[in-house]
Coordinates of all heavy atoms in Angstrom, one line a residue:
M1 N -74.6 33.4 18.9 CA -74.6 32.0 18.6 C -73.3 31.4 19.1 O -72.3 31.8 18.7 CB -74.9 31.7 17.2 CG -74.9 30.2 16.8 SD -75.2 29.8 15.1 CE -76.9 30.1 15.0
K2 N -73.4 30.3 19.9 CA -72.2 29.6 20.3 C -71.7 28.7 19.2 O -72.5 28.1 18.4 CB -72.6 28.7 21.5 CG -71.5 28.0 22.1 CD -71.9 27.2 23.4 CE -70.8 26.6 24.0 NZ -71.2 25.9 25.2
K3 N -70.4 28.7 19.0 CA -69.8 27.9 18.0 C -68.7 27.0 18.6 O -67.9 27.4 19.3 CB -69.1 28.8 16.9 CG -68.6 28.0 15.7 CD -68.1 29.0 14.6 CE -67.8 28.2 13.4 NZ -67.5 29.2 12.3
I4 N -68.9 25.7 18.3 CA -67.9 24.7 18.8 C -67.3 24.0 17.6 O -67.9 23.5 16.7 CB -68.7 23.6 19.7 CG1 -69.3 24.3 20.9 CG2 -67.7 22.5 20.1 CD1 -70.2 23.3 21.7
I5 N -65.9 24.0 17.6 CA -65.2 23.3 16.6 C -64.6 22.1 17.2 O -63.8 22.1 18.1 CB -64.1 24.3 16.0 CG1 -64.7 25.5 15.4 CG2 -63.2 23.5 15.0 CD1 -63.7 26.6 15.1
L6 N -65.1 20.9 16.6 CA -64.6 19.7 17.2 C -63.4 19.2 16.5 O -63.3 19.0 15.3 CB -65.8 18.6 17.0 CG -67.0 18.9 17.8 CD1 -68.1 17.8 17.5 CD2 -66.8 19.0 19.3
E7 N -62.3 19.0 17.3 CA -61.0 18.6 16.8 C -61.0 17.0 16.9 O -60.3 16.5 17.7 CB -59.9 19.2 17.6 CG -59.9 20.7 17.6 CD -59.6 21.3 16.2 OE1 -58.9 20.7 15.4 OE2 -59.9 22.5 16.0
I8 N -61.7 16.4 16.1 CA -61.9 14.9 16.2 C -61.2 14.1 15.0 O -61.4 12.9 15.0 CB -63.3 14.5 16.4 CG1 -64.2 15.0 15.2 CG2 -63.9 15.0 17.7 CD1 -65.6 14.5 15.2
A9 N -60.6 14.8 14.1 CA -60.0 14.1 13.0 C -59.0 13.1 13.4 O -58.7 12.1 12.6 CB -59.4 15.2 12.0
D10 N -58.3 13.2 14.5 CA -57.3 12.3 15.0 C -57.9 11.1 15.8 O -57.1 10.2 16.1 CB -56.2 13.0 15.8 CG -55.4 13.9 14.9 OD1 -55.3 13.7 13.7 OD2 -54.9 14.9 15.4
C11 N -59.2 11.1 16.1 CA -59.8 10.0 16.8 C -59.8 8.8 15.9 O -60.2 8.8 14.8 CB -61.2 10.4 17.2 SG -61.3 11.6 18.5
T12 N -59.4 7.7 16.5 CA -59.3 6.4 15.7 C -60.2 5.3 16.4 O -60.4 4.3 15.8 CB -57.9 5.9 15.6 OG1 -57.3 5.8 16.9 CG2 -57.1 6.9 14.7
L13 N -60.6 5.6 17.6 CA -61.5 4.6 18.3 C -62.8 5.3 18.8 O -62.7 6.4 19.3 CB -60.7 4.0 19.5 CG -59.4 3.3 19.3 CD1 -58.7 3.0 20.6 CD2 -59.7 2.0 18.5
P14 N -63.9 4.6 18.7 CA -65.2 5.2 19.1 C -65.1 5.6 20.6 O -65.6 6.7 20.9 CB -66.2 4.1 18.9 CG -65.6 3.3 17.8 CD -64.2 3.3 18.0
E15 N -64.4 4.8 21.4 CA -64.4 5.2 22.8 C -63.6 6.5 23.0 O -64.0 7.3 23.9 CB -63.6 4.1 23.6 CG -64.4 2.8 23.6 CD -64.1 1.9 22.4 OE1 -63.2 2.2 21.5 OE2 -64.8 0.9 22.2
Q16 N -62.6 6.7 22.3 CA -61.8 7.9 22.3 C -62.7 9.1 21.9 O -62.7 10.2 22.5 CB -60.6 7.8 21.4 CG -59.6 8.9 21.3 CD -58.5 8.7 20.3 OE1 -58.7 7.9 19.4 NE2 -57.5 9.4 20.4
L17 N -63.4 8.9 20.8 CA -64.3 9.9 20.3 C -65.4 10.3 21.4 O -65.6 11.5 21.6 CB -65.0 9.4 19.0 CG -66.2 10.3 18.6 CD1 -65.7 11.6 17.9 CD2 -67.1 9.5 17.6
H18 N -66.0 9.3 22.0 CA -67.0 9.6 23.0 C -66.5 10.4 24.2 O -67.2 11.3 24.7 CB -67.7 8.3 23.4 CG -68.6 7.8 22.2 ND1 -69.8 8.3 21.9 CD2 -68.4 6.7 21.4 CE1 -70.3 7.6 20.8 NE2 -69.4 6.7 20.5
L19 N -65.3 10.0 24.6 CA -64.7 10.8 25.7 C -64.5 12.2 25.3 O -64.7 13.2 26.1 CB -63.4 10.1 26.2 CG -63.5 8.8 27.0 CD1 -62.2 8.2 27.2 CD2 -64.3 9.1 28.3
Y20 N -64.0 12.4 24.1 CA -63.7 13.8 23.6 C -65.0 14.6 23.5 O -65.1 15.7 24.0 CB -63.0 13.8 22.3 CG -62.8 15.2 21.7 CD1 -61.8 15.9 22.1 CD2 -63.8 15.7 20.8 CE1 -61.6 17.2 21.6 CE2 -63.6 17.0 20.3 CZ -62.5 17.7 20.7 OH -62.4 19.0 20.2
L21 N -66.1 14.0 23.0 CA -67.3 14.6 22.8 C -68.0 15.0 24.2 O -68.6 16.0 24.3 CB -68.3 13.8 22.0 CG -67.9 13.7 20.5 CD1 -69.0 12.7 19.8 CD2 -67.9 15.0 19.8
Q22 N -67.8 14.1 25.1 CA -68.4 14.4 26.5 C -67.8 15.7 27.0 O -68.5 16.5 27.5 CB -68.1 13.2 27.4 CG -69.2 12.4 27.7 CD -69.0 11.4 28.8 OE1 -67.8 11.0 29.0 NE2 -70.0 11.0 29.5
D23 N -66.5 15.9 26.8 CA -65.8 17.1 27.3 C -66.2 18.3 26.4 O -66.6 19.3 26.9 CB -64.3 16.8 27.4 CG -63.6 18.0 28.0 OD1 -64.0 18.5 29.1 OD2 -62.6 18.5 27.4
A24 N -66.0 18.1 25.1 CA -66.2 19.3 24.2 C -67.6 19.8 24.2 O -67.8 21.0 24.0 CB -65.7 18.9 22.8
L25 N -68.6 18.9 24.3 CA -70.0 19.4 24.3 C -70.6 19.5 25.6 O -71.8 19.8 25.8 CB -70.8 18.4 23.4 CG -70.4 18.2 22.0 CD1 -71.2 17.1 21.3 CD2 -70.6 19.5 21.2
S26 N -69.8 19.3 26.7 CA -70.3 19.4 28.1 C -71.5 18.5 28.3 O -72.5 18.9 28.8 CB -70.6 20.8 28.4 OG -69.5 21.6 28.3
L27 N -71.4 17.2 27.8 CA -72.4 16.2 28.0 C -72.5 15.8 29.4 O -71.5 15.7 30.1 CB -72.2 15.0 27.1 CG -72.1 15.2 25.6 CD1 -71.7 13.9 24.9 CD2 -73.4 15.7 25.0
P28 N -73.7 15.5 29.9 CA -73.8 14.9 31.2 C -73.0 13.6 31.3 O -72.8 12.9 30.3 CB -75.3 14.6 31.4 CG -76.0 15.5 30.3 CD -75.0 15.6 29.2
Q29 N -72.6 13.3 32.5 CA -71.7 12.1 32.7 C -72.3 10.8 32.2 O -71.7 10.0 31.8 CB -71.4 12.0 34.2 CG -70.4 13.0 34.7 CD -69.0 12.8 34.2 OE1 -68.8 12.1 33.3 NE2 -68.1 13.5 34.8
D30 N -73.7 10.7 32.3 CA -74.3 9.5 31.9 C -74.8 9.5 30.4 O -75.5 8.7 30.0 CB -75.5 9.2 32.8 CG -76.6 10.3 32.7 OD1 -76.2 11.4 32.3 OD2 -77.7 10.1 33.1
C31 N -74.2 10.5 29.7 CA -74.6 10.7 28.3 C -73.4 10.6 27.4 O -72.3 11.0 27.8 CB -75.3 12.0 28.1 SG -75.9 12.4 26.5
G32 N -73.6 10.2 26.2 CA -72.5 10.3 25.2 C -71.8 9.0 24.9 O -70.8 9.0 24.2
Q33 N -72.2 7.9 25.5 CA -71.5 6.7 25.3 C -72.0 6.0 24.0 O -71.4 4.9 23.6 CB -71.7 5.7 26.5 CG -71.1 6.3 27.7 CD -69.7 6.7 27.6 OE1 -68.9 5.9 27.1 NE2 -69.3 7.9 28.0
S34 N -73.0 6.5 23.3 CA -73.5 5.9 22.1 C -73.9 7.1 21.1 O -74.2 8.2 21.6 CB -74.7 5.0 22.3 OG -75.8 5.7 22.7
L35 N -74.0 6.7 19.9 CA -74.5 7.7 18.9 C -75.9 8.1 19.2 O -76.3 9.3 18.9 CB -74.3 7.2 17.5 CG -72.9 7.0 17.0 CD1 -72.8 6.5 15.6 CD2 -72.1 8.3 17.1
D36 N -76.8 7.2 19.7 CA -78.1 7.5 20.0 C -78.2 8.6 21.1 O -79.0 9.5 21.0 CB -78.9 6.3 20.4 CG -79.2 5.3 19.3 OD1 -79.2 5.8 18.1 OD2 -79.4 4.1 19.5
E37 N -77.4 8.4 22.1 CA -77.4 9.4 23.2 C -76.9 10.8 22.7 O -77.4 11.8 23.2 CB -76.5 8.9 24.4 CG -77.0 7.7 25.1 CD -76.1 7.2 26.2 OE1 -74.9 7.6 26.2 OE2 -76.6 6.3 27.0
I38 N -75.9 10.8 21.8 CA -75.4 12.0 21.3 C -76.6 12.7 20.5 O -76.8 13.9 20.6 CB -74.2 11.8 20.5 CG1 -73.0 11.4 21.4 CG2 -73.8 13.1 19.7 CD1 -71.8 10.9 20.7
Y39 N -77.3 11.9 19.7 CA -78.4 12.4 18.9 C -79.4 13.1 19.8 O -79.9 14.2 19.6 CB -79.0 11.3 18.1 CG -80.3 11.8 17.3 CD1 -80.2 12.4 16.1 CD2 -81.5 11.6 17.9 CE1 -81.3 12.8 15.4 CE2 -82.7 12.0 17.2 CZ -82.5 12.6 16.0 OH -83.7 13.1 15.3
D40 N -79.8 12.4 20.9 CA -80.8 12.9 21.8 C -80.3 14.2 22.4 O -81.1 15.1 22.6 CB -81.1 11.9 23.0 CG -81.8 10.6 22.5 OD1 -82.4 10.7 21.4 OD2 -81.8 9.6 23.2
F41 N -79.0 14.3 22.8 CA -78.5 15.5 23.4 C -78.6 16.6 22.4 O -79.0 17.7 22.7 CB -77.1 15.3 23.8 CG -76.4 16.6 24.2 CD1 -76.6 17.1 25.5 CD2 -75.6 17.3 23.4 CE1 -76.0 18.2 25.9 CE2 -75.0 18.5 23.8 CZ -75.2 18.9 25.0
L42 N -78.2 16.4 21.1 CA -78.2 17.4 20.1 C -79.6 17.9 19.8 O -79.8 19.1 19.5 CB -77.5 16.9 18.8 CG -76.0 16.6 19.0 CD1 -75.5 15.9 17.7 CD2 -75.2 17.8 19.2
T43 N -80.6 17.0 19.7 CA -81.9 17.4 19.4 C -82.6 18.2 20.6 O -83.6 18.9 20.3 CB -82.8 16.3 19.0 OG1 -82.8 15.3 20.0 CG2 -82.3 15.7 17.7
D44 N -82.0 18.1 21.7 CA -82.5 18.9 22.9 C -81.9 20.2 23.1 O -82.3 21.0 24.1 CB -82.4 18.0 24.2 CG -83.4 16.9 24.2 OD1 -84.4 16.9 23.5 OD2 -83.1 15.9 25.0
I45 N -80.9 20.6 22.3 CA -80.2 21.9 22.5 C -81.2 23.0 22.3 O -82.0 23.0 21.3 CB -79.1 22.0 21.5 CG1 -77.9 21.1 21.8 CG2 -78.5 23.5 21.4 CD1 -76.8 21.0 20.8
E46 N -81.3 23.9 23.3 CA -82.3 25.0 23.3 C -81.8 26.3 22.9 O -82.5 27.3 22.7 CB -82.9 25.0 24.7 CG -83.7 23.8 25.0 CD -84.3 23.8 26.4 OE1 -84.1 24.8 27.1 OE2 -85.0 22.8 26.7
E47 N -80.4 26.5 22.9 CA -79.9 27.8 22.5 C -79.2 27.6 21.1 O -78.6 26.5 20.8 CB -78.8 28.2 23.5 CG -79.4 28.5 24.9 CD -78.4 28.9 25.9 OE1 -77.3 29.4 25.4 OE2 -78.6 28.8 27.1
P48 N -79.2 28.7 20.3 CA -78.6 28.5 19.0 C -77.1 28.1 19.1 O -76.3 28.7 19.9 CB -78.7 29.9 18.4 CG -79.9 30.5 19.1 CD -79.8 29.9 20.5
M49 N -76.7 27.1 18.3 CA -75.3 26.6 18.3 C -74.9 26.1 17.0 O -75.7 25.5 16.3 CB -75.3 25.5 19.4 CG -73.9 24.8 19.5 SD -73.9 23.4 20.6 CE -74.3 24.2 22.2
T50 N -73.7 26.4 16.6 CA -73.1 25.8 15.4 C -72.0 24.9 15.9 O -71.1 25.2 16.7 CB -72.5 26.9 14.5 OG1 -73.5 27.8 14.1 CG2 -71.8 26.3 13.3
I51 N -72.0 23.7 15.3 CA -70.9 22.7 15.6 C -70.2 22.4 14.3 O -70.9 22.1 13.3 CB -71.5 21.4 16.2 CG1 -72.2 21.7 17.6 CG2 -70.4 20.4 16.4 CD1 -72.8 20.6 18.2
V52 N -68.9 22.5 14.3 CA -68.1 22.3 13.1 C -67.3 20.9 13.3 O -66.7 20.7 14.3 CB -67.1 23.4 12.9 CG1 -66.2 23.1 11.6 CG2 -67.8 24.7 12.8
L53 N -67.5 20.0 12.3 CA -66.9 18.7 12.3 C -66.0 18.6 11.1 O -66.3 19.0 10.0 CB -67.9 17.6 12.3 CG -68.9 17.5 13.4 CD1 -70.3 17.7 12.9 CD2 -68.7 16.2 14.1
P54 N -64.9 17.9 11.2 CA -64.0 17.6 10.1 C -64.5 16.4 9.3 O -64.9 15.3 9.8 CB -62.6 17.3 10.7 CG -63.0 16.7 12.0 CD -64.2 17.4 12.5
Q55 N -64.6 16.5 8.0 CA -65.0 15.4 7.1 C -64.0 14.2 7.3 O -64.4 13.1 7.1 CB -65.0 15.9 5.6 CG -65.3 14.8 4.6 CD -66.8 14.3 4.8 OE1 -67.7 15.1 4.9 NE2 -66.9 13.0 4.7
A56 N -62.8 14.5 7.6 CA -61.7 13.5 7.7 C -62.1 12.4 8.8 O -61.5 11.3 8.7 CB -60.4 14.1 8.1
V57 N -63.0 12.7 9.7 CA -63.3 11.7 10.7 C -63.9 10.4 10.0 O -63.8 9.4 10.6 CB -64.3 12.3 11.7 CG1 -65.7 12.5 11.1 CG2 -64.3 11.5 13.0
A58 N -64.4 10.5 8.8 CA -65.0 9.4 8.1 C -64.0 8.6 7.3 O -64.3 7.6 6.7 CB -66.2 9.8 7.3
D59 N -62.7 9.1 7.2 CA -61.7 8.4 6.5 C -61.3 7.1 7.1 O -61.4 7.0 8.4 CB -60.5 9.3 6.3 CG -60.7 10.6 5.5 OD1 -61.7 10.6 4.8 OD2 -59.9 11.5 5.5
E60 N -60.9 6.2 6.4 CA -60.5 4.9 6.9 C -59.4 4.9 7.9 O -59.4 4.1 8.9 CB -60.1 3.9 5.8 CG -61.3 3.4 5.0 CD -62.3 2.7 5.8 OE1 -62.0 1.9 6.7 OE2 -63.5 2.9 5.6
E61 N -58.5 5.9 7.8 CA -57.4 5.9 8.8 C -57.8 6.6 10.1 O -57.1 6.6 11.1 CB -56.2 6.7 8.2 CG -56.4 8.1 7.8 CD -56.8 8.2 6.3 OE1 -57.1 7.2 5.7 OE2 -56.9 9.3 5.9
H62 N -59.1 7.1 10.1 CA -59.6 7.7 11.4 C -60.7 6.7 11.9 O -60.4 5.7 12.4 CB -60.1 9.1 11.1 CG -59.0 10.0 10.6 ND1 -58.0 10.4 11.5 CD2 -58.8 10.5 9.4 CE1 -57.2 11.2 10.8 NE2 -57.6 11.2 9.6
L63 N -62.0 7.1 11.8 CA -63.0 6.3 12.3 C -63.8 5.5 11.2 O -64.7 4.7 11.5 CB -64.0 7.1 13.1 CG -63.4 7.6 14.4 CD1 -64.4 8.7 15.0 CD2 -63.3 6.5 15.4
G64 N -63.5 5.8 10.0 CA -64.2 5.0 8.9 C -65.7 5.1 8.9 O -66.3 6.1 9.0
E65 N -66.3 3.9 8.9 CA -67.8 3.8 8.8 C -68.4 4.4 10.1 O -69.4 5.1 10.0 CB -68.2 2.3 8.7 CG -69.7 2.2 8.6 CD -70.1 0.7 8.6 OE1 -69.4 -0.1 8.0 OE2 -71.2 0.4 9.1
Y66 N -67.7 4.3 11.2 CA -68.3 4.9 12.5 C -68.3 6.4 12.3 O -69.2 7.1 12.8 CB -67.5 4.4 13.7 CG -68.2 4.7 15.0 CD1 -69.1 3.8 15.4 CD2 -67.9 5.8 15.7 CE1 -69.8 4.0 16.6 CE2 -68.6 6.0 16.9 CZ -69.5 5.1 17.4 OH -70.2 5.3 18.5
G67 N -67.2 6.9 11.7 CA -67.2 8.4 11.5 C -68.3 8.8 10.5 O -68.9 9.9 10.7
E68 N -68.6 8.0 9.5 CA -69.7 8.4 8.6 C -71.0 8.4 9.4 O -71.8 9.3 9.1 CB -69.7 7.3 7.5 CG -68.6 7.4 6.5 CD -68.7 6.3 5.4 OE1 -69.7 5.7 5.2 OE2 -67.6 6.0 4.9
R69 N -71.2 7.4 10.2 CA -72.4 7.4 11.0 C -72.5 8.6 12.0 O -73.6 9.1 12.2 CB -72.5 6.1 11.8 CG -72.8 4.9 10.9 CD -72.9 3.5 11.5 NE -73.3 3.5 12.9 CZ -72.7 2.6 13.8 NH1 -71.8 1.8 13.4 NH2 -73.1 2.6 15.0
L70 N -71.4 9.0 12.5 CA -71.3 10.2 13.4 C -71.8 11.4 12.6 O -72.6 12.2 13.1 CB -69.9 10.4 14.0 CG -69.7 11.6 14.8 CD1 -70.3 11.5 16.1 CD2 -68.3 12.0 14.9
L71 N -71.2 11.6 11.4 CA -71.6 12.8 10.6 C -73.1 12.7 10.3 O -73.8 13.8 10.3 CB -70.8 12.8 9.3 CG -69.3 13.0 9.5 CD1 -68.6 13.0 8.1 CD2 -69.0 14.3 10.2
L72 N -73.6 11.6 10.0 CA -75.1 11.4 9.8 C -75.9 11.8 11.0 O -76.9 12.5 10.9 CB -75.4 10.0 9.3 CG -76.8 9.7 8.9 CD1 -77.2 10.6 7.7 CD2 -77.0 8.2 8.5
V73 N -75.5 11.4 12.2 CA -76.2 11.7 13.4 C -76.2 13.2 13.6 O -77.3 13.8 13.9 CB -75.5 11.0 14.6 CG1 -75.9 11.6 15.9 CG2 -75.8 9.5 14.6
F74 N -75.1 13.9 13.4 CA -75.1 15.3 13.5 C -76.0 16.0 12.5 O -76.7 16.9 12.8 CB -73.7 15.9 13.5 CG -72.9 15.9 14.8 CD1 -72.3 14.7 15.2 CD2 -72.9 17.0 15.6 CE1 -71.7 14.7 16.4 CE2 -72.2 17.0 16.8 CZ -71.6 15.8 17.2
D75 N -75.9 15.5 11.3 CA -76.8 16.1 10.2 C -78.3 15.9 10.5 O -79.1 16.8 10.4 CB -76.5 15.5 8.8 CG -75.2 16.1 8.2 OD1 -74.8 17.1 8.7 OD2 -74.6 15.4 7.3
E76 N -78.6 14.7 10.9 CA -80.0 14.4 11.3 C -80.5 15.2 12.5 O -81.6 15.7 12.5 CB -80.2 12.9 11.5 CG -80.1 12.1 10.2 CD -80.2 10.6 10.5 OE1 -80.3 10.1 11.6 OE2 -80.3 9.9 9.5
A77 N -79.7 15.4 13.4 CA -80.0 16.2 14.6 C -80.2 17.6 14.2 O -81.2 18.3 14.7 CB -78.9 16.1 15.7
A78 N -79.4 18.2 13.3 CA -79.6 19.5 12.9 C -80.9 19.7 12.1 O -81.5 20.7 12.2 CB -78.4 20.0 12.0
A79 N -81.2 18.7 11.3 CA -82.5 18.7 10.6 C -83.7 18.7 11.5 O -84.7 19.3 11.2 CB -82.6 17.6 9.6
E80 N -83.5 18.1 12.7 CA -84.6 18.0 13.7 C -84.7 19.2 14.6 O -85.8 19.6 15.0 CB -84.4 16.7 14.5 CG -85.4 16.5 15.6 CD -86.7 16.0 15.0 OE1 -86.8 15.4 13.9 OE2 -87.8 16.2 15.7
N81 N -83.5 19.8 14.9 CA -83.5 20.9 15.8 C -83.1 22.2 15.1 O -81.9 22.4 14.7 CB -82.5 20.6 16.9 CG -82.4 21.6 18.0 OD1 -82.9 22.7 17.9 ND2 -81.8 21.2 19.1
S82 N -84.0 23.2 15.1 CA -83.7 24.4 14.4 C -82.6 25.3 15.1 O -82.1 26.3 14.6 CB -85.0 25.2 14.2 OG -85.5 25.6 15.5
N83 N -82.3 25.0 16.4 CA -81.3 25.7 17.1 C -79.9 25.2 16.8 O -78.9 25.8 17.2 CB -81.5 25.5 18.6 CG -82.7 26.3 19.1 OD1 -82.9 27.5 18.7 ND2 -83.5 25.7 19.9
L84 N -79.8 24.1 16.0 CA -78.5 23.5 15.7 C -78.1 23.6 14.3 O -78.9 23.3 13.4 CB -78.5 22.0 16.1 CG -77.2 21.2 15.9 CD1 -76.1 21.7 16.7 CD2 -77.5 19.7 16.2
V85 N -76.9 24.1 14.0 CA -76.3 24.2 12.7 C -75.1 23.3 12.7 O -74.2 23.5 13.6 CB -76.0 25.6 12.3 CG1 -75.3 25.7 11.0 CG2 -77.3 26.5 12.3
V86 N -74.9 22.5 11.7 CA -73.7 21.6 11.6 C -73.0 21.9 10.4 O -73.6 22.0 9.3 CB -74.1 20.1 11.7 CG1 -72.9 19.2 11.4 CG2 -74.8 19.8 13.0
E87 N -71.7 22.2 10.5 CA -70.9 22.4 9.3 C -69.8 21.3 9.3 O -69.2 21.0 10.3 CB -70.1 23.8 9.5 CG -71.1 25.0 9.5 CD -70.3 26.3 9.7 OE1 -69.1 26.3 9.8 OE2 -71.0 27.3 9.9
V88 N -69.7 20.7 8.1 CA -68.7 19.7 7.9 C -67.6 20.3 6.9 O -68.0 20.7 5.8 CB -69.3 18.4 7.3 CG1 -68.2 17.4 7.1 CG2 -70.4 17.9 8.3
I89 N -66.4 20.3 7.4 CA -65.3 21.0 6.6 C -64.3 19.9 6.3 O -64.1 18.9 6.9 CB -64.7 22.2 7.3 CG1 -64.2 21.8 8.6 CG2 -65.7 23.3 7.4 CD1 -63.4 22.9 9.3

């Protein structure tokens, strides 16, 4: 099983986050500019994968509400796709 640890706790802008996710998750160039596109990508993963995200991304000094929505997107995608496991630490 592939495991990706996302180092996104220091992201403070959604644009910065999306650029990082494009690289870290190897998203296609035309994907990853919105949470909906990230959700679609995650639900289409066909090989077993674990993605680890920091809870701190939802803190006010980081991405705040946008970070909370990001964590929800990853959780909902994992519930939809049995090949995806999401760990929030």
Side-chain angles (χ1 to χ4, degrees):
M1 175 181 288
K2 185 175 182 178
K3 185 171 189 173
I4 299 173
I5 300 172
L6 297 178
E7 303 289 339
I8 57 175
D10 292 334
C11 291
T12 57
L13 299 171
E15 297 82 10
Q16 180 186 23
L17 169 74
H18 290 286
L19 286 174
Y20 176 84
L21 292 177
Q22 256 188 331
D23 184 50
L25 298 175
S26 300
L27 299 174
Q29 288 291 13
D30 61 342
C31 179
Q33 298 305 310
S34 73
L35 293 178
D36 288 337
E37 290 177 350
I38 293 168
Y39 175 84
D40 291 342
F41 173 82
L42 294 172
T43 56
D44 287 340
I45 291 174
E46 296 179 356
E47 297 179 21
M49 180 182 297
T50 298
I51 299 177
V52 181
L53 297 121
Q55 177 67 43
V57 75
D59 293 345
E60 284 303 317
E61 61 270 10
H62 299 290
L63 290 168
E65 183 181 326
Y66 196 83
E68 290 176 21
R69 290 180 23 220
L70 174 76
L71 295 176
L72 184 61
V73 163
F74 274 83
D75 283 342
E76 289 176 353
E80 180 73 25
N81 185 347
S82 62
N83 287 318
L84 178 62
V85 174
V86 172
E87 298 176 5
V88 178
I89 57 171

